[in-house]
């Protein structure tokens, strides 16, 4: 029963070409997550699936690098117990300034 449910989940999202994200993007995201879990089976699968969906070696490396960057800063922010409310305000202020400058 669990296998049937998992297969239905894969077909409805991962293999479905009519979702908001294209196949390459979904597989690069899968690779990024797999590299952090870590799951060597998933890393292999999502790397090959990303290539099948047109990902270049550079895009694959960048997806893994982004996973590492997010993990690093998550560790730093959580471990340092940075105030979430202050962090959100600073982030919103930076993005508002960038948006204003681009208009």
């Amino acid at each position: 029963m669990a296998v049937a449910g998992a297969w239905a989940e894969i077909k409805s999202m991962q293999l479905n070409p009519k979702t908001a994200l294209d196949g390459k993007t979904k597989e690069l995201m899968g690779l990024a997550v797999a590299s952090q879990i870590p799951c060597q089976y998933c890393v292999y699968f999502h790397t090959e699936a990303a290539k099948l969906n047109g990902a270049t070696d550079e895009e694959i490396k960048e997806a893994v690098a982004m996973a590492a960057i997010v993990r690093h800063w998550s560790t730093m922010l959580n471990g340092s117990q940075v105030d979430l409310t202050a962090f959100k305000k600073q982030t919103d202020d930076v993005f508002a300034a960038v948006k204003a400058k681009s208009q």
Side-chain angles (χ1 to χ4, degrees):
M1 189 64 79
V3 172
W7 181 239
E9 183 179 60
I10 288 170
K11 289 191 300 184
S12 71
M13 176 59 71
Q14 186 174 354
L15 301 178
N16 184 352
K18 296 178 181 174
T19 60
L21 298 173
D22 62 49
K24 179 171 79 170
T25 301
K26 288 187 276 191
E27 295 305 338
L28 290 170
M29 290 174 65
L31 173 59
V33 171
S35 68
Q36 289 300 320
I37 295 174
C39 174
Q40 63 184 350
Y41 305 97
C42 301
V43 166
Y44 181 80
F45 178 87
H46 289 292
T47 299
E48 295 305 311
K51 289 177 183 177
L52 186 63
N53 278 278
T56 64
D57 288 342
E58 198 58 35
E59 289 171 321
I60 288 167
K61 290 175 187 173
E62 193 169 309
V64 173
M66 279 300 303
I69 290 167
V70 170
R71 180 75 171 240
H72 170 84
W73 282 102
S74 174
T75 301
M76 294 297 294
L77 294 167
N78 279 303
S80 299
Q81 299 181 45
V82 171
D83 180 72
L84 181 58
T85 301
F87 176 82
K88 285 182 176 183
K89 182 177 181 337
Q90 291 170 351
T91 299
D92 292 345
D93 290 348
V94 168
F95 287 158
V98 169
K99 187 175 180 181
K101 191 172 186 174
S102 68
Q103 294 177 347

